[in-house]
Amino acid sequence: MIEYARAVRNHAYAPYSGFKVGAAILGRSGRVYTGCNVENASYGLTICAERAAAARAISDGEREFVCLALVGSGEGFTYPCGACLQVLAEFAPRLNIITVNKAGQTRKNLLEELLPQVFALNREEFNGG
Ligand code: THU
């Protein structure tokens, strides 16, 4: 999974930050969906690698995510930003997240450890019970 994330990071479009990110999501089906960050001159329109990967998975009909590998730039570990954690939690609140630093060391966390109080709507309540 880390290798998939590394490979897709090469496609990152990050001319503004110079910080390239690659993400790979393993779906329950066994298929892997990759994504890279896509920046924009209007900075706020930037799409993170994790959300790019998630959009590919969902678009392919894959809604059960088993694990996500993330590879950033620089020396340290890159963790998903808060917005990406919220988006991933929609489909996999207990997602396994693996991140790797430049030295090749890995760290693993559950999404719920990184975003313990996720925002979620109680759909049953909204649907009248
Ligand atoms: N970025 C990601 O792709 N994923 C994250 O979880 C954090 C940030 C990207 C967005 C931007 O292109 C660059 O990293 C610097 O913030």
Side-chain angles (χ1 to χ4, degrees), residues 75-88:
E75 299 290 325
F77 295 96
T78 296
Y79 287 95
C81 75
C84 286
L85 289 171
Q86 177 68 36
V87 168
L88 293 165

Side-chain angles (χ1 to χ4, degrees), residues 14 17 19 21 37-39 46-50 70 78-81 84:
S17 72
F19 194 88
V21 185
N37 52 335
V38 184
E39 296 188 348
T46 291
I47 300 166
C48 290
E50 302 93 310
L70 191 64
T78 296
Y79 287 95
C81 75
C84 286

Side-chain angles (χ1 to χ4, degrees), residues 45-122:
L45 300 183
T46 291
I47 300 166
C48 290
E50 302 93 310
R51 277 181 280 165
R56 285 181 93 172
I58 298 302
S59 301
D60 211 36
E62 183 89 60
R63 291 191 180 174
E64 287 188 58
F65 302 171
V66 176
C67 119
L68 174 136
L70 191 64
V71 179
S73 299
E75 299 290 325
F77 295 96
T78 296
Y79 287 95
C81 75
C84 286
L85 289 171
Q86 177 68 36
V87 168
L88 293 165
E90 180 80 15
F91 302 99
R94 303 196 74 242
L95 184 68
N96 288 291
I97 295 175
I98 306 166
T99 181
V100 60
N101 67 5
K102 200 171 186 178
Q105 296 164 313
T106 57
R107 283 189 188 166
K108 295 179 191 172
N109 289 93
L110 291 178
L111 191 156
E112 66 184 4
E113 294 176 286
L114 303 178
L115 190 65
Q117 299 295 342
V118 64
F119 175 77
L121 295 176
N122 181 334

